[in-house]
Amino acid sequence: MADPSSYRPKPGQIPDSPGVYKFRDEHRRVIYVGKAKNLRQRLANYFQDLAGLHPRTRTMVTTAASVEWTVVSTEVEALQLEYSWIKEYDPRFNVKYRDDKSYPYLAVTLNEEFPRVQVMRGAKKKGVRYFGPYGHAWAIRETVDLMLRVFPVRTCSAGVFKNAVRTGRPCLLGYIGKCSAPCVGRVTPEEHRELADEFCDFMAGRTGSYIRRLEKDMAAAAEEMEYERAARLRDDAEALRRAMEKSAVVLADATDADLIAVAEDELEAAVQIFHVRGGRVRGQRGWVTDKVENVDTSGLVEHALQQLYGEEAGDAVPKEVLVPALPEDPDAVSQWLAGRRGSQVSLRIPQRGDKKDLMATVQRNAQQALGLHKTKRASDLTTRSRALEEISEALGLDTAPLRIECFDISHLQGDDVVASMVVFEDGLARKGEYRRFQIKTFEGQDDVRSMHEVIGRRFRRYLHEKERTGEWEETPAESGPAPAAPAPSVPAEPAPDGAAEPREDDGRPKRFAYPPQLLVVDGGQPQVAAAKRALDELGIDDIAVCGLAKRLEEVWLPDDDDPVVLPRSSEGLYLLQRIRDEAHRFAINYQRAKRAKRVRSSPLDDVAGLGETRKQALIKHFGSVKKLRQATIDEICEVPGIGRRTAESVAVALASTTPAAPAVNTATGEIIEEDDGGSTT
């Protein structure tokens, strides 16, 4: 535990201007990010008598080993920089809201020639118009089904659309009038885009004009005795009304606002957001967080605003944001929101009327969400604690294994041999720390040898990180023989697939920096022995090793002739099975991806300077790799964009590869010539 006075800056060193500060631990990892109008006054609060600090603040300052700051010109810049650093460094002592689900949005892909209406989750994409979020995907589909009658916008996937273009026949929705069928030219791209814009206008709350227009057209058709057309228009108007009824009217028609409510106790907080557009509740979402820093309601609101609008722009930020408590600097936050939206944003606490009543409803939802979360977490925490205790007892560990890493090998008959590493902390998956490996030292099928290589590579990286950060110190043993220790300089292990080399002292948690208390391998005695041998070779003797064999779900320990058999109803066995299955899933997915990439490979991939566009142009021009191989250099030069030098490189690349042997129909003996542009390896 560090003494804050050991790294306290001198008062004259700290400026009295706005800025953002970072606390780092002894290994240069950023553990807390904050902002201040006056850096000198704010930082002085952290270096007072420890007895006067809040317990969470006291833990933070005693964990830290240094503090640094960056001066900015305005409070708005400080707010933006704080958000950026929290997102970049993921500090352990900052409040970070966890989304309790991946909310679906109704999305209109305006970035395509023929915009498509669909359900989308995850990160938002540029050029796509989003509405929501919704609680359930089926709610979006019900709304879209009603609206396609009036706004028959394309909803099909790219594959279905291309197939319809090729065959000249629309899909079922085109036949029943719920798609304008731009794929077969029933409408022009301009007409279809106009339909998509009208769909977006209606979803954005401009509903009255469309219904009034339909009613006017219906009356005109009835007067002209076009009763069938009048009936269709009547049904269209009714469909729009039903779509509108799915969103309750809560405020005046022109109201665009987000209402944010917070429910909290000493340890946790829940946030609920209602998105109101055009006076109707268009979406709802909720977050929960652990209160790892000393923060009040206004601080929780500010963090929620940063997370909610930090990546948004334009209409995604509403004209009005209603909150239960104003942030510490409401003017700066309002300016920041206005900058995101591009126009004025009102940030205030509702005092009376419908908005205050709706805020009370949002607050009740937040209280209910916090209660439900605590109930689920208590039940889940009890189960996970019991599972970890059972594993500890069964394996004879001194403490419960709070961090467990599991390794699995995957291949297809000895080809594309890969390995996976999954991480569980406190019984929960940490997907951000999953890693995958390619087997590099040999070829062929040998699970035991592969396991030895992967374990060795993983823990060489760990020892290298310890040496680089100064955590590894060779100290003489007080008594008895000296324990095995790695050489003073551990060679750096190349990063596995998908893991970049860490940069020096950037404040981010380093890859492979944390060792597990328990290492699990997918397999029996041979795999366990290989893992233990790899650890012994590196001088690591403080990590427990076990293996889980699939056949009888037996747990094997090093140097034991008999397995440990956990009861079938054991929570510990269930947790080990879940970890093993997750490692298997992760390895299989990687192995399949590698195999698919290899199968799709082509001799053209090795031609320097030949990109995907020109590669496709060659295949399209000649029809297949086989026909391209038979072409002369002059014929290859006829392809647009292919020069003489590139044509020569293509000819050389194809001449140096052997074409795949033709397939044979074993029933008829017929030779099947591949002539569809398929790949050759």
Side-chain angles (χ1 to χ4, degrees):
M1 185 175 73
D3 182 1
S5 63
S6 63
Y7 63 88
R8 177 176 183 170
K10 296 179 180 179
Q13 293 178 332
I14 308 175
D16 56 3
S17 54
V20 183
Y21 54 90
K22 292 180 288 192
F23 281 88
R24 295 179 183 263
D25 65 11
E26 59 181 334
H27 306 302
R28 302 291 296 161
R29 292 186 287 258
V30 175
I31 61 172
Y32 185 74
V33 173
K35 67 174 188 343
K37 287 183 181 180
N38 187 312
L39 284 169
R40 184 177 300 172
Q41 291 181 4
R42 176 60 59 84
L43 289 177
N45 295 333
Y46 291 101
F47 295 102
Q48 57 181 283
D49 183 13
L50 290 177
L53 293 176
H54 188 280
R56 296 188 183 94
T57 306
R58 184 164 60 245
T59 302
M60 189 274 291
V61 297
T62 54
T63 304
S66 64
V67 62
E68 57 193 54
W69 55 84
T70 298
V71 175
V72 297
S73 56
T74 66
E75 290 87 349
V76 177
E77 288 184 24
L79 188 72
Q80 182 62 52
L81 183 58
E82 179 193 34
Y83 169 75
S84 300
W85 279 356
I86 289 175
K87 184 178 179 183
E88 179 180 2
Y89 296 115
D90 191 25
R92 57 177 290 199
F93 287 103
N94 277 95
V95 163
K96 295 178 290 293
Y97 290 106
R98 303 184 302 275
D99 227 333
D100 54 5
K101 65 179 76 173
S102 176
Y103 288 93
Y105 285 82
L106 171 59
V108 185
T109 58
L110 297 176
N111 56 349
E112 298 181 359
E113 181 183 7
F114 296 101
R116 175 190 176 194
V117 176
Q118 60 181 312
V119 177
M120 276 192 178
R121 298 178 187 264
K124 293 186 177 180
K125 301 177 182 178
K126 188 176 181 180
V128 179
R129 185 85 180 271
Y130 291 89
F131 302 95
Y134 288 77
H136 303 280
W138 56 260
I140 301 178
R141 296 188 179 97
E142 283 188 357
T143 300
V144 170
D145 186 62
L146 290 168
M147 293 182 60
L148 289 180
R149 181 184 180 92
V150 185
F151 309 109
V153 186
R154 168 198 164 206
T155 57
C156 61
S157 66
V160 173
F161 187 87
K162 289 179 181 177
N163 185 59
V165 172
R166 182 177 59 81
T167 61
R169 296 193 304 271
C171 63
L172 177 62
L173 292 179
Y175 283 111
I176 65 176
K178 288 194 172 183
C179 179
S180 55
C183 53
V184 295
R186 289 185 187 173
V187 295
T188 65
E190 294 75 18
E191 291 170 336
H192 185 267
R193 182 164 292 276
E194 185 177 350
L195 279 174
D197 290 338
E198 290 178 348
F199 181 97
C200 292
D201 287 343
F202 188 89
M203 288 301 302
R206 293 180 278 277
T207 58
S209 60
Y210 289 101
I211 294 179
R212 285 193 296 270
R213 187 181 70 185
L214 289 173
E215 290 174 340
K216 183 179 178 180
D217 292 345
M218 178 185 68
E223 287 180 4
E224 296 174 6
M225 293 187 290
E226 297 180 4
Y227 298 119
E228 289 186 4
R229 179 168 174 268
R232 281 199 306 273
L233 292 170
R234 178 202 61 200
D235 294 342
D236 288 349
E238 183 60 28
L240 290 185
R241 289 194 189 94
R242 290 203 305 274
M244 291 170 59
E245 288 169 0
K246 291 183 177 295
S247 301
V249 178
V250 290
L251 299 174
D253 284 347
T255 302
D256 289 347
D258 283 351
L259 290 86
I260 301 174
V262 178
E264 58 181 308
D265 59 19
E266 285 296 316
L267 300 176
E268 295 174 308
V271 173
Q272 282 287 308
I273 303 103
F274 276 24
H275 303 276
V276 178
R277 300 294 183 270
R280 297 173 180 273
V281 178
R282 296 291 184 182
Q284 175 187 357
R285 66 193 303 184
W287 299 326
V288 292
T289 184
D290 295 323
K291 295 173 71 174
V292 292
E293 61 176 294
N294 182 22
V295 62
D296 56 10
T297 303
S298 63
L300 291 170
V301 167
E302 183 173 313
H303 288 306
L305 292 172
Q306 286 179 314
Q307 180 153 328
L308 187 58
Y309 303 116
E311 304 294 328
E312 303 291 358
D315 291 340
V317 182
K319 300 175 184 177
E320 196 172 5
V321 179
L322 305 177
V323 295
L326 291 175
E328 181 181 349
D329 191 345
D331 292 338
V333 177
S334 296
Q335 291 179 39
W336 176 70
L337 291 173
R340 308 295 308 175
R341 176 178 169 82
S343 61
Q344 184 78 21
V345 175
S346 172
L347 177 65
R348 62 188 185 86
I349 303 172
Q351 300 294 334
R352 63 183 68 85
D354 293 340
K355 293 178 180 177
K356 184 178 181 181
D357 293 341
L358 182 58
M359 178 62 85
T361 300
V362 184
Q363 182 67 38
R364 285 196 297 272
N365 277 265
Q367 293 284 3
Q368 189 177 43
L370 180 62
L372 182 61
H373 168 74
K374 293 183 78 67
T375 301
K376 286 183 177 178
R377 183 167 184 176
S379 174
D380 182 54
L381 185 60
T382 301
T383 302
R384 287 187 282 118
S385 297
R386 186 164 64 249
L388 293 173
E389 287 296 334
E390 288 180 2
I391 292 172
S392 175
E393 292 177 7
L395 304 185
L397 307 181
D398 295 333
T399 59
L402 297 182
R403 181 182 172 101
I404 302 175
E405 293 180 3
C406 183
F407 294 80
D408 185 30
I409 308 296
S410 180
H411 57 82
L412 181 65
Q413 297 179 346
D415 293 330
D416 301 314
V417 185
V418 299
S420 68
M421 177 188 106
V422 301
V423 179
F424 275 60
E425 287 190 353
D426 199 18
L428 297 175
R430 288 291 300 271
K431 294 193 175 183
E433 299 193 22
Y434 286 12
R435 298 290 177 263
R436 55 193 191 183
F437 303 79
Q438 293 187 66
I439 303 304
K440 300 179 178 180
T441 58
F442 68 97
E443 295 182 358
Q445 178 179 349
D446 190 337
D447 287 2
V448 174
R449 190 175 173 187
S450 299
M451 187 66 72
H452 178 271
E453 176 188 330
V454 170
I455 300 295
R457 288 167 57 188
R458 184 265 182 265
F459 285 97
R460 272 194 296 276
R461 288 287 302 242
Y462 159 62
L463 293 178
H464 176 64
E465 285 296 332
K466 289 189 71 174
E467 183 186 41
R468 190 188 61 78
T469 59
E471 292 181 66
W472 181 268
E473 294 181 4
E474 291 189 275
T475 55
E478 294 182 1
S479 62
S489 179
V490 181
E493 169 65 29
D497 303 346
E501 286 291 339
R503 290 182 288 176
E504 296 290 328
D505 297 335
D506 60 359
R508 299 177 184 84
K510 300 298 184 290
R511 300 176 188 273
F512 299 103
Y514 305 108
Q517 283 82 48
L518 175 62
L519 189 157
V520 182
V521 299
D522 182 10
Q525 274 183 311
Q527 286 83 358
V528 174
K532 186 66 168 63
R533 188 169 67 255
L535 294 178
D536 291 342
E537 290 169 358
L538 294 171
I540 299 174
D541 57 4
D542 57 350
I543 296 176
V545 181
C546 75
L548 185 60
K550 287 189 182 74
R551 189 170 65 89
L552 297 176
E553 303 292 18
E554 301 165 331
V555 179
W556 290 91
L557 298 177
D559 305 323
D560 283 2
D561 295 331
D562 297 316
V564 176
V565 180
L566 293 171
R568 289 293 176 177
S569 59
S570 164
E571 291 290 347
L573 177 61
Y574 175 68
L575 178 58
L576 289 176
Q577 289 172 327
R578 194 152 57 91
I579 296 172
R580 187 269 318 277
D581 293 344
E582 178 69 355
H584 186 65
R585 178 199 65 80
F586 194 52
I588 283 285
N589 287 348
Y590 181 39
Q591 193 271 334
R592 287 173 177 168
K594 275 183 61 64
R595 186 170 76 246
K597 183 178 180 180
R598 177 171 57 81
V599 170
R600 289 195 303 267
S601 65
S602 162
L604 298 178
D605 296 339
D606 298 328
V607 179
L610 187 65
E612 191 62 33
T613 301
R614 292 199 293 171
K615 203 183 304 179
Q616 292 299 325
L618 285 167
I619 297 297
K620 184 176 181 180
H621 181 84
F622 290 100
S624 69
V625 173
K626 176 184 176 182
K627 292 181 178 179
L628 176 58
R629 182 180 276 110
Q630 297 168 351
T632 65
I633 292 177
D634 290 335
E635 289 172 336
I636 296 174
C637 287
E638 294 175 2
V639 179
I642 303 297
R644 184 86 185 172
R645 182 176 298 178
T646 303
E648 292 172 352
S649 299
V650 169
V652 170
L654 293 177
S656 62
T657 59
T658 304
V664 178
N665 186 325
T666 56
T668 64
E670 178 186 4
I671 295 178
I672 305 170
E673 295 285 352
E674 183 179 357
D675 199 32
D676 59 353
S679 62
T680 306
T681 56

